[in-house]
Amino acid sequence: MLSYFLRRMMLVIPTFLGITLLIFTITRFVPGGPVERLLATMQTQGDVQTTSDVGMSNALSEDQIAELNAFYGLDKPVFEAYTEWLGKLLSLDFGESTRYYEPVWDMIAERIPVSAFYGGMTFFISYFISIPLGYFKAMRHGSVFDSTSSIMIFVGYALPGYVVGILLITLFSYHLEWFPMGGFVGDDFDDYETFYEQFKDIMWHAILPLICYLIGDFATLTMTMKNNLMENLSADYVRTAIAKGLPFKVAVRRHALRNSLIPVASHFGNSLLFFMTGSFLIEVIFNIDGIGLLGYEAIMERDYPVVMGIVAINAVLLMVGNILSDMCVAVVDPRVKFGA
């Protein structure tokens, strides 16, 4: 197993290079970079007049445009610029935002606690509720409880999280005024004297967004757990264990349950992304100042250093998550022999 994971870790390097090179090349060739945005802002303010469809103006000469490109590092060939950016990236220097002129890492680190909170809550609630719920649904297959919960799960799975978010805000925040319209904390958060009051304020703001985060992943995990447990309950080894005198519930817990966790375990590592990125649209709808909202604003404003920094972090988390998924499968399924 050790040699297998060492090989997987070695594959992380070329995969990471390919992902970062692709996203770096795309950001260099798509229109609307920092220079074009600066020229458009000047035109909007009435300082210059556009004379061509690429953003050139009477007020800025070609030399001045070249100086701007050099300032933003856009005058170098793609591969040379990528090599320079990658060297800085390895030292955790993500560059500087072209919109706020702040270090990209500082902007990301400032929003990590918010995204980590929602990611952690989504992760633990999904697994600690979906696994027992899937177990009880399989044990009571065809009952009223199973049918009712399946209808609710499928309806929730069919609705995207951002659509549910709009519905929840409209009903519970705008009409009923039970919950705030958005944000991570209230305006009076710093005035609270006790930790309990601050935690209560955070959870009051977090209820509606967490529903949106949970609705898709929760449904997938629950039905995966139920279907795999039902498949294992009909397997020969479970019937043999019962025929030898082992009580049914003991046979389920000791044999069928562990095998049913294998597909769930394979999904475990991919959930690592929730600890960092969250969801772009959900954070935009609820105005949650996390990494998802930061990435959305960076894309809309063509703030490419921020976009590339977030993509680089996501790429690392995704690859590490896949390795963690393999480790979880190996722990749950003793039949797995890596490298055999």
Side-chain angles (χ1 to χ4, degrees), residues 84 95 132 202 258 300 330:
E84 181 179 344
I202 293 176
R258 183 173 181 177
M300 298 302 295

Side-chain angles (χ1 to χ4, degrees), residues 6 11 17 53 70 79 95 100 138 169 187 214 226 245-246 268 285 296 300 308-309:
L6 288 177
L11 288 174
L17 292 177
D53 53 1
F79 188 76
Y100 297 106
I169 287 180
D187 296 334
L214 289 167
K226 177 197 172 183
L246 193 67
F268 187 86
I285 291 172
Y296 174 82
M300 298 302 295
M308 292 187 294

Side-chain angles (χ1 to χ4, degrees), residues 82-103:
Y82 169 75
T83 305
E84 181 179 344
W85 173 76
L86 183 62
K88 294 181 179 180
L89 185 65
L90 295 178
S91 60
L92 295 181
D93 183 4
F94 290 80
E96 189 176 77
S97 169
T98 59
R99 181 187 180 192
Y100 297 106
Y101 301 99
E102 297 179 5

